[in-house]
Amino acid sequence: MAATNPPGPISITPLLKRLWPSPATAQVTAAEIALAIAHIFEDRLSAVQTGALLTALHFTGWDSRADVIAQCAAAMRQAAASVDLDAVRQVCGGKRAQRGRYHGGLCDIVGTGGDQHSTFNISTTASILASSLLLVAKHGNRASTSKSGSADILCAMRPAAPVLEHVTPGSMPEVYRRTNYAFLFAPVFHPGMRHVAAVRRELGWRTIFNLLGPLANPVEAAIEARVVGVARADLGPVFAEALRLSGARKAMVVCGEEELDEISCAGPTRCWRLYETANPDYRPSSTTDNDYDDADTSDEDAPPRTIVQIEHFVLSPADFGLPAHPLATVSPGLFPQQNAEILRQLLQNERPADDPILHFAIMNAAALFEVAGACHDEQDPDVVRDEGPGRGRWKEGIRLARRAIESGAAWWSWQGFVEVTNSLAPAKALT
């Protein structure tokens, strides 16, 4: 069979002319922009046109529109390495991880970065703590705006570090068979991003790709719940709407008052939470089979059974039952080796109970526990039923996060990830 030639270069000059100076006047659509972004992953755009596209999106502000972010993230996921989600779901389903309102799906906690605060790697730490109960698919990369990104700190862990490149589409079922935790290293799952790397470096400002990462998890279709941090408050409602447009049902977008892309340990945090609720306009038809939970009306244009709403509220450390800590107390070493040692101490319960970094981490893990639904296990005799802003059981989340550390469950999950990634043969890892 003759080899198939790759698709040739393409010009988006007509789109570029309409994008500047007023894309709305020129009736540019999010779908057109997403198609142009998709061409980048196929290496069909020249560096000049790629730079022009990213520049136009940046200076018109269209890279901060919910519909553009949602559709471009979908294009990025479409271009990602394909994962056998049925195989992943089968393995995860067999673990029977359901708890309360958590149904045993995959979860993620991630930030956009770019907040310039150089705080500890909180979302990475929180993801490991959460894997004591939840099945976590942490999507991340090396640092772009700091010296210690999520992949950097994990690769610096001792006494042994994971081999992140061994977590691939082919190895994911095996990873989840042996641990609740997987780190999906972006270069492995998004090879098309290499075609834009040089342009991004030379532009000198953050582009739409800095916003797409948190919404481009390669196992998006299997994600049940997530917490997303943004570094600007104006992006909070935008990201919440982008998540809703992407089909998310359980999610929360957060932005610390200091323009921090985590739940802040220093003061208030603005939150935008997605809830799935009953649709008051839903009317079952006479042919609806009530034996099926997902049954809907036979009319495709009829209102759906449920809708997703977005609620805005503010959280503070006191809502978690914790004191506030200045950000200066959670900005330790700048380098991965220093932060990795703090992470090891935290996971092995060697940090003081009132340690600011510990409090910072468990607050964010608590948020993921709550959003996933694990804080609503009425069969647990020790469950803390106190509700705070957004009707969340934030203090129960803290209890679960502390228990993850004190019981050794978080360290056990982490060690399982280290062991499985080191045991995978490179040949299998590359399938």
Side-chain angles (χ1 to χ4, degrees):
M1 180 182 295
T4 302
N5 292 325
I10 193 168
S11 172
I12 59 167
T13 298
L15 174 63
L16 293 174
K17 289 180 176 179
R18 292 166 58 220
L19 266 175
W20 185 265
S22 178
T25 302
Q27 298 182 325
V28 174
T29 67
E32 290 178 282
I33 296 171
L35 179 59
I37 291 291
H39 291 323
I40 294 175
F41 303 130
E42 298 171 342
D43 197 21
R44 300 186 69 185
L45 292 191
S46 69
V48 171
Q49 292 215 325
T50 296
L53 174 63
L54 298 181
T55 299
L57 290 174
H58 179 79
F59 286 103
T60 59
W62 271 49
D63 59 358
S64 298
R65 283 177 50 126
D67 57 344
V68 171
I69 292 173
Q71 293 201 37
C72 289
M76 187 171 173
R77 295 192 303 268
Q78 182 66 30
S82 180
V83 178
D84 185 349
L85 291 179
D86 288 338
V88 171
R89 287 191 182 102
Q90 184 176 12
V91 172
C92 292
K95 305 192 84 161
R96 301 185 182 279
Q98 298 89 342
R99 177 189 173 92
R101 299 173 187 169
Y102 170 56
H103 304 305
L106 298 179
C107 302
D108 191 11
I109 179 168
V110 62
T112 59
D115 62 20
Q116 306 301 317
H117 286 294
S118 298
T119 55
F120 186 67
N121 301 85
I122 290 300
S123 65
T124 306
T125 304
S127 71
I128 300 172
L129 297 182
S131 70
S132 60
L133 289 176
L134 310 178
L135 300 176
V136 174
K138 169 66 175 162
H139 183 222
N141 205 344
R142 297 195 184 278
S144 61
T145 59
S146 67
K147 294 183 179 179
S148 181
S150 54
D152 301 305
I153 186 175
L154 298 186
C155 289
M157 280 290 282
R158 297 292 179 266
V163 184
L164 300 184
E165 292 83 0
H166 284 186
V167 181
T168 68
S171 68
M172 283 190 68
E174 178 63 18
V175 172
Y176 282 117
R177 265 189 283 270
R178 295 170 59 178
T179 181
N180 284 357
Y181 188 79
F183 185 91
L184 280 57
F185 189 33
V188 172
F189 288 86
H190 293 288
M193 284 295 293
R194 69 184 185 276
H195 301 308
V196 72
V199 172
R200 292 176 67 192
R201 282 194 299 269
E202 292 186 30
L203 282 178
W205 56 73
R206 293 171 66 81
T207 70
I208 191 171
F209 287 107
N210 295 94
L211 303 180
L212 297 184
L215 303 182
N217 195 309
V219 292
E220 172 72 22
I223 295 289
E224 178 178 343
R226 81 195 80 200
V227 173
V228 178
V230 295
R232 293 184 355 231
D234 62 297
L235 286 175
V238 172
F239 258 74
E241 179 62 12
L243 282 165
R244 191 187 67 79
L245 291 173
S246 300
R249 288 175 166 79
K250 294 163 71 172
M252 189 165 74
V253 181
V254 301
C255 181
E257 188 178 52
E258 311 83 1
E259 302 284 81
L260 182 71
D261 68 336
E262 335 258 12
I263 292 178
S264 176
C265 64
T269 296
R270 299 182 67 180
C271 305
W272 296 263
R273 186 170 179 180
L274 277 67
Y275 293 94
E276 186 174 25
T277 62
N279 186 354
D281 296 327
Y282 171 73
R283 296 292 181 269
S285 71
S286 58
T287 58
T288 298
D289 184 350
N290 292 324
D291 290 335
Y292 291 91
D293 290 339
D294 295 331
D296 209 328
T297 64
S298 57
D299 183 356
E300 292 183 358
D301 295 324
R305 181 186 293 271
T306 61
I307 56 175
V308 175
Q309 296 183 326
I310 300 171
E311 179 180 355
H312 174 250
F313 53 89
V314 176
L315 284 173
S316 68
D319 295 314
F320 295 87
L322 297 174
H325 300 282
L327 290 186
T329 64
V330 293
S331 302
L334 294 176
F335 296 98
Q337 294 80 5
Q338 297 167 289
N339 289 351
E341 174 58 17
I342 294 171
L343 174 57
R344 184 201 64 76
Q345 292 171 1
L346 192 151
L347 293 178
Q348 293 199 287
N349 199 23
E350 295 177 5
R351 306 288 292 187
D354 60 353
D355 178 62
I357 293 177
L358 172 64
H359 284 181
F360 196 9
I362 62 177
M363 283 171 55
N364 283 269
L368 185 54
F369 281 136
E370 163 58 27
V371 172
C375 293
H376 297 263
D377 182 5
E378 305 305 335
Q379 305 305 312
D380 186 338
D382 298 320
V383 66
V384 178
R385 292 182 172 83
D386 255 10
E387 290 192 352
R391 304 183 301 282
R393 291 184 176 178
W394 313 108
K395 292 176 183 176
E396 169 64 2
I398 291 294
R399 185 183 74 87
L400 296 178
R402 284 197 183 277
R403 190 175 72 177
I405 297 170
E406 293 166 2
S407 69
W411 179 253
W412 177 88
S413 182
W414 168 250
Q415 284 296 98
F417 178 66
V418 172
E419 291 168 7
V420 68
T421 59
N422 277 275
S423 69
L424 289 169
K428 182 176 182 180
L430 295 173
T431 59

